[in-house]
């Protein structure tokens, strides 16, 4: 899943970037920049974000 796809999903459920960042134990700006595809995130952080996604489907 790309950052842009994740952003669309997250917004459709009205989940804030801060909620995702808290779950993934990172900074909100990291989630923001990843969703805008300004950065790539490390595999361990990506795994946490995908766990969040799976748990909130």
């Amino acid at each position: 899943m790309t950052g842009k796809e994740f952003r669309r999903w997250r917004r459709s459920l009205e989940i804030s970037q801060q909620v995702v960042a808290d779950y993934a134990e990172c900074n909100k700006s990291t989630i923001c920049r990843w969703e805008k595809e300004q950065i790539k995130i490390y595999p361990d952080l990506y795994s946490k974000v995908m766990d969040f996604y799976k748990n909130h489907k």
Side-chain angles (χ1 to χ4, degrees):
M1 171 177 281
T2 68
K4 286 183 180 182
E5 291 168 336
F6 184 81
R7 183 180 188 130
R8 270 187 248 119
W9 169 81
R10 180 183 59 73
R11 285 182 159 185
S12 73
L13 296 179
E14 299 180 357
I15 298 170
S16 72
Q17 290 174 334
Q18 187 63 57
V19 170
V20 177
D22 289 345
Y23 182 91
E25 300 176 334
C26 70
N27 195 300
K28 176 183 144 184
S29 67
T30 302
I31 300 300
C32 178
R33 291 183 298 150
W34 173 65
E35 288 182 346
K36 292 179 179 180
E37 298 186 346
Q38 296 173 341
I39 63 166
K40 291 186 178 187
I41 56 177
Y42 291 108
D44 60 330
L45 179 54
Y46 183 78
S47 292
K48 289 179 182 179
V49 172
M50 289 301 102
D51 284 344
F52 180 88
Y53 171 75
K54 290 174 188 170
N55 291 329
H56 292 84
K57 275 172 95 173

